[in-house]
Amino acid sequence: MSDSDHSRRGIGRRDLLKCMAWAGSGVVWTLGGGVASSVLAGCAPAPVKPSGGLSFVQISDTHIGFRKAANPDPAGTLRETIARIRALPVQPAFILHTGDITQLATPEQFDQAQSLLSEIGLPMFCVPGEHDLVDGNDPRPYLARFASRDARGDGWYSFDAGGVHFVALVNVVRLGDRGMGTLGAEQLAWLRDDLAGRSDSTPIVVYSHFPLWALMPDWGWGTQDALEAMSLLRRFGSVTALNGHIHQVQQKVEGNLRFYAARSTAFPQPAPGEGPGPGPLVVPAEKLRATIGLRSVTLRTSDAPLALIDTALADA
Amino acid sequence: MTITRRFLLTLSVIAAAPAFAAPPPGDPVRGQRLYQSCMGCHSLDENDVGPMHRGVVGRKAGTVSDYAYSSALKASGLTWDATTLDRWLSNPQALVPGSKMYFSIAQPQDRADLIAYLAGQKPK
């Protein structure tokens, strides 16, 4: 069965159960011209080397320095993630890290994270998470180590690769009501200028730490002024928004805007609204690797879909 | 009226006007739900990005052991009660400039409910 077969027919419950038994927790999100359809990893065709396309990997929430029961060794699981990246059949062009590189933004944690992430041996583009801010809102130590050379303000920037325009947004420095993220007027003005003059047909990948969609506002899982950014992005035919922070795969489609939250490489969090609230979720040690992992994204030639493959460390 | 008397009257008016209206009564059940938004950084029983919260109402600010407070909060001289917590949650940087917290809650009723919940989380 091809990707396009899945897109036309969707996936039935019987197929789903069959594939779940076979494939574990990996999920492929296939983005075509319309609503995204999901298939489980084992049911998708093997990744095809893109011809003239681009592939990259998203990792998130490495939380180097975290030591609690949810994962006493996040450096170890990051190393396992790096081994997964190096074993990919097509080496990605670069890594996107969607924040919370460290647990508490200490110099020692930044040193260890820099050392570990350099083992990937690929260019890395980052946005800060709230855990990467010193004393609650100072991004400068993060910026000195991880910011793109072209970064403005608190670390936002953009670049082009493979015909796609990538936009890094920072929504963790100035918090809104009840801990919601904000982008702020300065960043939104920059975004307006950055997008001006670009063709509506340019595929856009926008990435941030907090979700740009109202995933769970009661838990602070959203961005208060994201609608202003979305109004600037809505004219583009394909917009893919990637985020971290919530430590699990979640997705939402709003017209041409598609939002995807990624797993952490360190520990899971509860599903939105389940349990007393957000925070590190302790699972039995033998199940941890089914809840953490990486995401690979393939951008093929212009008329083919963009595919996201979420892989848990436990997946075969 | 002498200048001194007018000055004293002005002072008495300022003293009579509270800087903040008295917090409304709080609903601890609703406060427990609102506490979910605090849990990105805090929990009741463990220090994390922020200090543990159990027993916070009635505690002197900056005194939880094994938490690295800002020097500003340690020197604040505050004791956490309904009034100081209401001001803190309204705008922590206005109450204690240089503290580590930037999280705030806009609605007075939300703050009151949250404080009512925290007041019920007594030390074990």
Side-chain angles (χ1 to χ4, degrees), chain A residues 68 103-104 131 135-137 175-179 218-219 275-278, chain B residues 33-34 36-37 39-40 46-49 99-100 102-106 110:
Chain A
K68 294 182 181 177
Q103 174 65 11
L104 289 175
H131 283 260
D135 292 339
N137 86 330
L175 298 181
D177 185 31
R178 291 191 289 151
D218 280 353
W219 289 8
Chain B
R33 187 169 70 74
L34 290 165
Q36 295 175 357
S37 65
M39 292 176 65
E46 288 191 323
N47 294 332
D48 196 343
V49 173
S99 63
K100 290 185 179 182
Y102 288 79
F103 175 100
S104 62
I105 296 179
D110 289 351

Side-chain angles (χ1 to χ4, degrees), chain B residues 3-28:
Chain B
I3 290 175
T4 305
R5 190 162 165 231
R6 190 183 302 151
F7 177 69
L8 286 174
L9 277 173
T10 307
L11 266 186
S12 68
V13 169
I14 291 171
F20 285 78
D27 171 1

Side-chain angles (χ1 to χ4, degrees), chain A residues 283-300:
Chain A
V283 297
E286 68 275 13
K287 293 189 175 170
L288 172 65
R289 283 162 181 76
T291 67
I292 57 177
L294 63 137
R295 163 178 288 157
S296 50
V297 183
T298 303
L299 305 151
R300 299 177 212 177

Side-chain angles (χ1 to χ4, degrees), chain A residues 44-285:
Chain A
V48 177
K49 186 178 175 66
S51 55
L54 172 76
S55 66
F56 65 92
V57 161
Q58 179 191 4
I59 60 173
S60 200
D61 296 270
T62 43
H63 283 272
I64 295 303
F66 183 86
R67 288 182 186 169
K68 294 182 181 177
N71 182 354
D73 184 19
T77 50
L78 176 55
R79 282 200 180 92
E80 291 177 42
T81 305
I82 292 170
R84 284 295 190 121
I85 294 169
R86 295 170 78 99
L88 285 170
V90 176
Q91 274 301 283
F94 53 83
I95 306 295
L96 293 187
H97 192 312
T98 43
D100 282 0
I101 297 168
T102 67
Q103 174 65 11
L104 289 175
T106 64
E108 297 74 21
Q109 291 177 5
F110 276 136
D111 283 347
Q112 188 184 13
Q114 270 189 305
S115 172
L116 285 164
L117 292 168
S118 71
E119 293 174 16
I120 302 175
L122 293 170
M124 195 171 71
F125 298 93
C126 302
V127 286
E130 81 282 11
H131 283 260
D132 300 317
L133 306 175
V134 172
D135 292 339
N137 86 330
D138 184 357
R140 289 173 298 178
Y142 156 85
L143 292 171
R145 293 171 183 257
F146 293 101
S148 161
R149 200 174 298 165
D150 301 328
R152 312 280 183 87
D154 296 324
W156 54 81
Y157 58 93
S158 67
F159 67 97
D160 295 287
V164 176
H165 188 56
F166 289 81
V167 181
L169 296 179
V170 179
N171 53 4
V172 299
V173 176
R174 292 166 184 80
L175 298 181
D177 185 31
R178 291 191 289 151
M180 292 272 278
T182 67
L183 296 165
E186 184 185 355
Q187 186 169 203
L188 287 165
W190 170 84
L191 179 63
R192 185 176 294 108
D193 291 345
D194 181 72
L195 297 175
R198 294 186 192 279
S199 159
D200 292 358
S201 62
T202 306
I204 305 286
V205 172
V206 56
Y207 55 104
S208 60
H209 181 63
F210 289 160
L212 290 168
W213 42 305
L215 203 167
M216 186 68 193
D218 280 353
W219 289 8
W221 287 0
T223 301
Q224 203 159 273
D225 51 1
L227 283 179
E228 295 176 52
M230 294 305 118
S231 70
L232 298 170
L233 290 163
R234 205 167 290 281
R235 71 178 173 88
F236 293 93
S238 169
V239 179
T240 304
L242 308 175
N243 68 269
H245 189 54
I246 70 159
H247 297 221
Q248 62 197 284
V249 175
Q250 294 281 347
Q251 64 108 20
K252 185 179 186 186
V253 179
E254 290 180 9
N256 60 328
L257 309 175
R258 302 171 183 91
F259 302 89
Y260 298 89
R263 290 189 177 99
S264 162
T265 67
F267 55 85
Q269 290 201 75
E274 286 188 10
L281 181 67
V282 179
V283 297

Side-chain angles (χ1 to χ4, degrees), chain A residues 30-50:
Chain A
T30 304
L31 287 83
V35 174
S37 63
S38 64
V39 296
L40 293 172
C43 303
V48 177
K49 186 178 175 66

